[in-house]
Amino acid sequence: MSGIYARRIAVVAASAALAATTGLLAAPTAQAAMPTPVSAATARTYLGQLTVSAEGSSSGYSRDKFPHWITQSGACNTREVVLKRDGTNVVQDSACAATSGSWYSPYDGATWSAASDVDIDHMVPLAEAWRSGASGWTTAQRQSFANDLSRPQLIAVTDNVNQSKSDQDPGEWLPSRTAYRCTYARAWVHVKHHYGMTVDSTEKSALQSVLNGC
């Protein structure tokens, strides 16, 4: 019995060591943790399925037609949920506001320690979505899009980088950090495909160029 007991101890010890190793591998990093976009191969397929069309008009567009940030749970709205998700060691107060933490912006490689320096970027900007088909959606559909936590549509980034991106598509703007452009293109196509949005020819060419290098 002593031999069996010894083997059991060894198995328990090995299991504990494996669990510890797994814990280390799964530990959160400073990288933003938005939902993983489809692979480059799938993104290339999806891109080929998108309707190519001249960009629509901005007439009638208003951010108010994309209600955000909506309450997700308790006192927490979508922005606060993403700040918590994408940050490291984020502490929130009773109103769900982030009082401390660290945020790494994959667009430019900067790290911030104040939530006020971080914006939540809509991967496909609201105005771009409007011009790509969302003008014909219901308000409820636009609200779901503007607060989508299930697709790679929301990400915490440096505020002035988000502002410089504005409502531009990849034919006009890409992250300055080239190492992130593949993920960016995959995410963009993932979102546009899911929502059945159109792409213009310049946007499609830019996305193809990035994805072919992934």
Side-chain angles (χ1 to χ4, degrees):
M1 292 298 290
S2 59
I4 294 172
Y5 181 75
R7 284 197 295 275
R8 283 178 179 167
I9 292 296
V11 168
V12 169
S15 298
L18 178 61
T21 303
T22 304
L24 288 172
L25 292 174
T29 68
Q31 288 283 351
M34 71 174 183
T36 303
V38 294
S39 69
T42 299
R44 286 191 288 268
T45 299
Y46 280 3
L47 182 59
Q49 295 171 350
L50 294 179
T51 298
V52 179
S53 175
E55 199 162 79
S57 170
S58 294
S59 178
Y61 168 72
S62 166
R63 288 179 68 85
D64 293 340
K65 293 184 177 180
F66 293 80
H68 67 289
W69 305 110
I70 63 170
T71 299
Q72 292 290 342
S73 63
C76 301
N77 67 26
T78 308
R79 170 182 163 82
E80 290 150 352
V81 169
V82 177
L83 281 173
K84 176 72 171 179
R85 183 197 73 188
D86 289 4
T88 301
N89 300 322
V90 177
V91 176
Q92 295 172 308
D93 63 19
S94 58
C96 208
T99 56
S100 64
S102 176
W103 291 270
Y104 173 78
S105 169
Y107 287 4
D108 58 333
T111 299
W112 303 97
S113 58
S116 58
D117 289 322
V118 178
D119 276 359
I120 307 305
D121 179 42
H122 287 95
M123 177 63 62
V124 176
L126 305 182
E128 164 68 20
W130 179 268
R131 298 189 295 265
S132 303
S135 59
W137 299 352
T138 65
T139 299
Q141 288 172 318
R142 289 193 287 263
Q143 175 175 296
S144 294
F145 168 78
N147 298 274
D148 190 350
L149 295 168
S150 299
R151 258 70 50 183
Q153 165 64 355
L154 300 173
I155 184 170
V157 298
T158 302
D159 55 0
N160 61 1
V161 172
N162 179 49
Q163 289 150 25
S164 70
K165 171 184 171 178
S166 186
D167 63 350
Q168 299 177 93
D169 68 37
E172 304 159 318
W173 187 94
L174 286 167
S176 61
R177 185 168 162 262
T178 55
Y180 196 70
R181 289 182 179 179
C182 183
T183 301
Y184 188 85
R186 288 160 49 209
W188 183 281
V189 173
H190 184 155
V191 172
K192 280 219 159 177
H193 185 269
H194 177 80
Y195 285 96
M197 288 185 271
T198 60
V199 289
D200 64 51
S201 57
T202 303
E203 173 189 356
K204 182 175 182 178
S205 294
L207 288 163
Q208 282 177 325
S209 178
V210 174
L211 291 170
N212 286 341
C214 292

